[in-house]
Amino acid sequence: MKLLVLLALAGCGSARRTEPIAGPLALDEMAERGERVFFRYCHQCHPFGEGGVGWSLNEKPLPGFLIRAQTRAGVGAMPAFGRDQIGPDELDALVHYLVTLRKTR
Ligand code: HEC
């Protein structure tokens, strides 16, 4: 009997996994804050995290500390963003948002 229940659960699980990801992104509170920062400062060059003027942010498994470094320092055509523009809390939220985006792909 127990085995049957387990099999049923396993069946459900694999059925769910083959469905395409649909609907809006589920963002937690911090990711929502990060999203606002993103649309204000980053979206113009990394539209929805994809490549634009800047490279795609979604496709690379860039660790959080490098996203921070890149944002503070700027590289090439990308401007640097100081603490006066993006505060430490906002930067935390921004990185959290970008990592969340990546998980949905
Ligand atoms: C004016 C356009 C512009 C804006 C605004 C901008 N970026 Fe960029 N970004 C770029 C360009 C161009 C590159 C590629 C730089 C290079 O390496 O030559 C880049 C690269 C990056 C990279 C490195 C990607 C990689 O794969 O190495 C990260 C991370 C990044 N940007 C994050 C951000 C974040 C976060 C913001 C918002 C705070 C932002 N960018 C705003 C243009 C921009």
Side-chain angles (χ1 to χ4, degrees):
M1 192 56 202
K2 241 184 203 163
L3 185 63
L4 268 182
V5 173
L6 278 179
L7 283 175
L9 286 176
C12 279
S14 57
R16 220 175 283 139
R17 233 172 289 135
T18 57
E19 284 170 17
I21 299 168
L25 268 177
L27 295 181
D28 60 24
E29 214 175 290
M30 188 176 183
E32 274 179 12
R33 210 155 18 105
E35 185 174 49
R36 285 195 291 275
V37 177
F38 181 84
F39 277 97
R40 186 152 169 214
Y41 294 112
C42 321
H43 180 71
Q44 49 180 315
C45 293
H46 303 282
F48 300 102
E50 299 294 331
V53 175
W55 298 344
S56 166
L57 304 182
N58 293 334
E59 272 161 25
K60 287 205 170 175
L62 205 61
F65 77 93
L66 285 179
I67 299 179
R68 287 163 195 277
Q70 175 92 18
T71 302
R72 286 290 185 233
V75 174
M78 178 167 153
F81 295 87
R83 284 169 167 257
D84 50 331
Q85 275 177 299
I86 301 179
D89 289 358
E90 286 179 318
L91 187 54
D92 286 347
L94 175 61
V95 169
H96 177 67
Y97 169 67
L98 288 174
V99 172
T100 304
L101 269 191
R102 210 186 279 158
K103 279 191 200 136
T104 62
R105 292 171 63 89

